[in-house]
Amino acid sequence: MRYFIELSYNGTAFHGWQIQPNANSVQETIEKALSLLLRETIQIVGAGRTDTGVHAKFMIAHFDTDVTFSTDNLQYKLNSLLKAPIAIYSIYNVKEDAHARFSAEKRAYEYRVITRKNPFEINSAYLVKQLIDIDKMNRAAALLFNYKNFKCFSKSNTDVKTYNCDLFRAEWIQESEHLLVFHIAANRFLRNMVRAIVGTLLEVGIGKLEVEAIDRILKSENRSEAGYSVPAKGLYLTEVTYPENIFIDE
Amino acid sequence: MRYFIELSYNGTAFHGWQIQPNANSVQETIEKALSLLLRETIQIVGAGRTDTGVHAKFMIAHFDTDVTFSTDNLQYKLNSLLKAPIAIYSIYNVKEDAHARFSAEKRAYEYRVITRKNPFEINSAYLVKQLIDIDKMNRAAALLFNYKNFKCFSKSNTDVKTYNCDLFRAEWIQESEHLLVFHIAANRFLRNMVRAIVGTLLEVGIGKLEVEAIDRILKSENRSEAGYSVPAKGLYLTEVTYPENIFIDE
């Protein structure tokens, strides 16, 4: 039987999602707890692989097991067992071919920028001291919708078949006097893509780049034309969406 | 010359506001930085003394010096020097008899309660898993306005002249699905008072105490009649208010 786990985690405490030697990953932390509770070795597959320090307000992972258990009870026990900053919101049965990563149709991220030092946002937002023009950043963000190929925002050493992404949303919102949040959604994201887009848009926002530079950068398909990559700590995975047909009716 | 400092700090990193031997206090951290920048020994006096783990979204402290300096420049340098989770928002000249603690007319606190595990609120809110009836808590909070003597919510080993406080606000707000915030304001607070009030109101909220028990508790003037004291991590000083006549017109 295949199960989906809905969860969130504070990335500050982890060396990213993916298991790696001698490092504390979200995946390994959950696998260890699940294996202990189900008394068999469990492996989980996440909807994506967040980097060190990146957070998830919402993440999906799947696992397979033939052990029978109450999903509510397992969720409760998993939360009690996990002392780490991971919250398990729900566990439910899905169809056998449902895949946390490959079945996902849409992913959404937020990037939080603070414009004044905030002792409650040391590891949860990125501080920018320059004056930011949010209207300019939104005009630049709107230009992104004219493109499919986002190679210019991708880490150069990645091995992907295509650099094409379908963008659904790219918008800055002024959430409060000293907090700007960038919302972006697409069918898929390339490695480091959100952080490179945010860095580029911020360069527009502080006047280092013109709004129209976005067109030149995207046409170049060259990472070195785009802006800098902003720190991981401001980035949050917030949504992963699947087609209705992978869920099992109750 | 006397100066006021407006600041905020994340209490997780500190053993409270007040200087004490072999412990990291907010007061000492700021005094060291100020003394370094002004090249003389500076002592600061805070509007109140928050306990270990208690946060301040807004705090006022005063200090005296005859050194001349630009307040904006000092604020900037202080923020750069302070690597700790303290933010200095403003520094300004006040009248000689203005006192951060004794001149304050009103103080306000918030207490944050989450009702679901949240990896982003490990040190910034208190998790209550039981079902909470917010209407009952607000009916109980309204009864507090019938009293002046809050001895029943005070730490027993305190040495104060009076247990009387003038309450201005005591109200629970459902800020989002899994977040309740208690807002309380008064001219003064006794030691541990907010945390004891919140613990008592939560006992009403989960059905352990009746709404009317509040009357019995307040009349008893006995700490052991009231509810438990909730953890420091959910508590925030949010406002300190002074009379207009202590400020110097620009």
Side-chain angles (χ1 to χ4, degrees):
Chain A
M1 299 274 269
R2 179 157 290 188
Y3 296 87
F4 266 21
I5 313 175
E6 285 184 14
L7 69 145
S8 72
Y9 53 88
N10 184 329
T12 312
F14 301 101
H15 284 84
W17 170 268
Q18 198 175 15
I19 285 188
Q20 45 190 311
N22 306 318
N24 183 27
S25 68
V26 181
Q27 186 187 353
E28 187 176 6
T29 305
I30 296 172
E31 284 183 355
K32 274 188 180 166
L34 266 181
S35 301
L36 194 71
L37 291 171
L38 295 177
R39 298 177 193 186
E40 70 171 7
T41 304
I42 300 289
Q43 289 190 311
I44 65 174
V45 174
R49 297 171 195 164
T50 57
D51 290 334
T52 299
V54 174
H55 314 288
K57 288 187 187 174
F58 183 88
M59 169 64 123
I60 293 280
H62 78 242
F63 69 95
D64 297 312
T65 184
D66 290 325
V67 176
T68 53
F69 59 87
S70 144
T71 50
D72 284 355
N73 187 37
L74 183 65
Q75 181 225 345
Y76 179 84
K77 283 186 177 167
L78 205 48
N79 274 326
S80 302
L81 189 61
L82 289 166
K83 297 304 171 206
I86 299 173
I88 309 295
Y89 294 137
S90 183
I91 299 175
Y92 48 85
N93 200 205
V94 290
K95 293 191 180 153
E96 286 298 323
D97 61 349
H99 193 286
R101 184 169 171 205
F102 300 127
S103 303
E105 290 181 324
K106 180 184 151 188
R107 292 160 172 91
Y109 286 89
E110 285 177 16
Y111 195 90
R112 293 162 60 84
V113 171
I114 51 172
T115 56
R116 183 170 85 157
K117 191 177 178 185
N118 183 335
F120 303 102
E121 300 272 14
I122 302 280
N123 293 310
S124 54
Y126 172 46
L127 175 61
V128 176
K129 291 178 182 172
Q130 295 100 319
L131 209 66
I132 300 174
D133 185 332
I134 189 172
D135 291 331
K136 270 193 181 174
M137 291 203 294
N138 272 328
R139 275 159 49 210
L143 295 177
L144 298 172
F145 289 94
N146 298 331
Y147 299 86
K148 291 279 179 209
N149 185 317
F150 288 91
K151 189 175 177 189
C152 66
F153 297 121
S154 173
K155 253 204 171 119
S156 49
N157 58 348
T158 52
D159 178 30
V160 290
K161 282 178 204 149
T162 167
Y163 291 98
N164 287 359
C165 308
D166 295 325
L167 205 62
F168 303 132
R169 187 182 184 194
E171 183 184 13
W172 287 89
I173 307 256
Q174 178 105 36
E175 288 218 353
S176 59
E177 194 184 349
H178 300 288
L179 175 64
L180 302 178
V181 182
F182 181 59
H183 298 264
I184 187 165
N187 66 327
R188 66 194 283 265
F189 287 91
L190 307 171
R191 272 207 72 188
N192 210 247
M193 178 171 154
V194 181
R195 290 162 63 186
I197 289 177
V198 171
T200 305
L201 294 178
L202 280 172
E203 290 192 1
V204 171
I206 63 169
K208 201 178 156 193
L209 280 178
E210 294 299 313
V211 171
E212 297 70 27
I214 297 298
D215 285 317
R216 173 180 54 73
I217 291 164
L218 276 145
K219 282 173 187 152
S220 77
E221 299 185 11
N222 182 348
R223 177 67 186 86
S224 65
E225 291 291 316
Y228 71 116
S229 180
V230 288
K233 64 183 181 179
L235 185 59
Y236 296 73
L237 177 61
T238 56
E239 203 187 331
V240 191
T241 312
Y242 298 89
E244 281 300 318
N245 66 17
I246 68 157
F247 300 107
I248 292 172
D249 299 329
E250 292 301 313
Chain B
M1 299 274 269
R2 179 156 289 186
Y3 296 88
F4 266 22
I5 313 174
E6 285 184 13
L7 68 146
S8 72
Y9 53 87
N10 184 329
T12 311
F14 301 100
H15 284 84
W17 170 268
Q18 197 174 17
I19 285 189
Q20 45 188 310
N22 307 317
N24 182 27
S25 68
V26 181
Q27 186 187 355
E28 188 177 8
T29 305
I30 296 172
E31 285 183 356
K32 275 188 180 167
L34 266 181
S35 301
L36 194 72
L37 291 171
L38 295 177
R39 297 177 192 186
E40 70 172 8
T41 303
I42 301 288
Q43 289 190 309
I44 64 173
V45 174
R49 299 171 194 163
T50 57
D51 289 334
T52 299
V54 174
H55 314 287
K57 288 186 188 175
F58 183 88
M59 169 64 123
I60 293 279
H62 78 243
F63 69 95
D64 297 312
T65 184
D66 290 325
V67 176
T68 54
F69 57 88
S70 143
T71 50
D72 284 355
N73 187 36
L74 184 65
Q75 181 224 346
Y76 179 84
K77 283 186 175 166
L78 206 48
N79 274 325
S80 302
L81 189 61
L82 288 166
K83 297 304 172 208
I86 299 173
I88 308 295
Y89 294 137
S90 183
I91 299 175
Y92 48 86
N93 199 204
V94 290
K95 294 192 180 151
E96 286 300 322
D97 61 349
H99 192 286
R101 184 167 170 206
F102 299 127
S103 303
E105 291 181 321
K106 180 184 151 188
R107 293 162 171 90
Y109 286 89
E110 286 177 15
Y111 195 89
R112 293 162 59 84
V113 171
I114 50 172
T115 55
R116 184 170 85 157
K117 190 178 179 185
N118 183 334
F120 303 102
E121 300 272 14
I122 303 280
N123 293 310
S124 55
Y126 173 45
L127 174 61
V128 176
K129 290 180 183 170
Q130 294 100 318
L131 209 65
I132 300 175
D133 185 331
I134 189 171
D135 291 332
K136 271 193 180 174
M137 292 203 294
N138 272 330
R139 275 160 48 211
L143 295 177
L144 298 172
F145 289 93
N146 298 331
Y147 299 86
K148 291 279 178 207
N149 184 317
F150 288 92
K151 189 176 176 188
C152 66
F153 297 121
S154 173
K155 254 204 171 119
S156 48
N157 58 348
T158 53
D159 177 29
V160 289
K161 283 179 203 146
T162 167
Y163 292 99
N164 286 0
C165 307
D166 295 325
L167 205 61
F168 304 132
R169 187 182 184 195
E171 183 185 14
W172 288 89
I173 307 255
Q174 178 105 37
E175 288 217 356
S176 60
E177 194 184 350
H178 300 288
L179 175 63
L180 301 178
V181 181
F182 181 59
H183 298 264
I184 188 165
N187 65 327
R188 64 194 283 266
F189 286 92
L190 308 170
R191 273 207 69 188
N192 210 246
M193 177 171 155
V194 181
R195 290 162 63 187
I197 289 177
V198 171
T200 305
L201 295 178
L202 280 172
E203 289 191 1
V204 171
I206 64 169
K208 200 177 156 193
L209 280 179
E210 292 301 312
V211 171
E212 296 71 26
I214 297 297
D215 286 318
R216 174 181 53 75
I217 291 165
L218 277 146
K219 283 174 187 151
S220 78
E221 299 184 13
N222 183 348
R223 177 67 186 86
S224 65
E225 290 292 315
Y228 71 118
S229 179
V230 289
K233 64 183 181 177
L235 185 59
Y236 296 73
L237 177 61
T238 57
E239 201 186 332
V240 190
T241 313
Y242 298 89
E244 280 299 319
N245 66 18
I246 68 157
F247 300 106
I248 293 172
D249 299 328
E250 292 300 311

